[in-house]
Amino acid sequence: FFFGYFLMPPTSLGVLLVLLLAAAIADVVPSYDSYEHRLPSFDVAFKDIAVDGLVCDGPKIAIVYYPVNGTRNQLFPVISFLHGYNSGGDDDRFNKWYAPICRKVASYGFVIV
């Protein structure tokens, strides 16, 4: 390796070091997929809740996603999801982009409002 250092251009040496570092890290850092099987998995339901006093042009509802197959009296943490301007309620954009995310997070044992 020492003699090869003088024969390689600097960029090749940099690439070689990055590849060696990546190979070393790959054995130490677990991938995201290795955690997936450890997370709880719940069935998810959702409900539209009327919100009195809400000031907006669209529907005045909050959609709540929640786990349904927990144990009796099991408590779940609540996440308040803020979708941003002009994309709430029964809007197609919400159903296309945000609903799948809310369902996925709720399946891990969270209530999403």
Side-chain angles (χ1 to χ4, degrees):
F1 179 77
F2 182 75
F3 293 109
Y5 169 76
F6 294 107
L7 301 175
M8 286 191 278
T11 55
S12 296
L13 180 62
V15 170
L16 177 64
L17 291 175
V18 167
L19 290 175
L20 288 172
L21 180 62
I25 290 174
D27 287 338
V28 176
V29 178
S31 69
Y32 172 77
D33 292 338
S34 67
Y35 291 107
E36 189 77 23
H37 71 279
R38 296 185 212 167
L39 296 172
S41 180
F42 296 94
D43 294 330
V44 174
F46 71 93
K47 185 184 289 188
D48 292 340
I49 307 289
V51 180
D52 295 332
L54 184 63
V55 180
C56 67
D57 293 335
K60 295 170 179 40
I61 62 168
I63 304 171
V64 180
Y65 293 87
Y66 55 95
V68 292
N69 59 334
T71 60
R72 185 179 175 107
N73 297 326
Q74 184 172 3
L75 301 176
F76 297 103
V78 175
I79 296 175
S80 178
F81 178 78
L82 304 173
H83 56 73
Y85 177 71
N86 201 19
S87 183
D90 293 328
D91 187 89
D92 288 338
R93 290 169 293 192
F94 182 86
N95 292 327
K96 180 178 180 181
W97 298 105
Y98 298 129
I101 295 169
C102 291
R103 280 192 299 272
K104 184 68 171 179
V105 173
S107 75
Y108 295 137
F110 293 91
V111 175
I112 313 296
V113 179

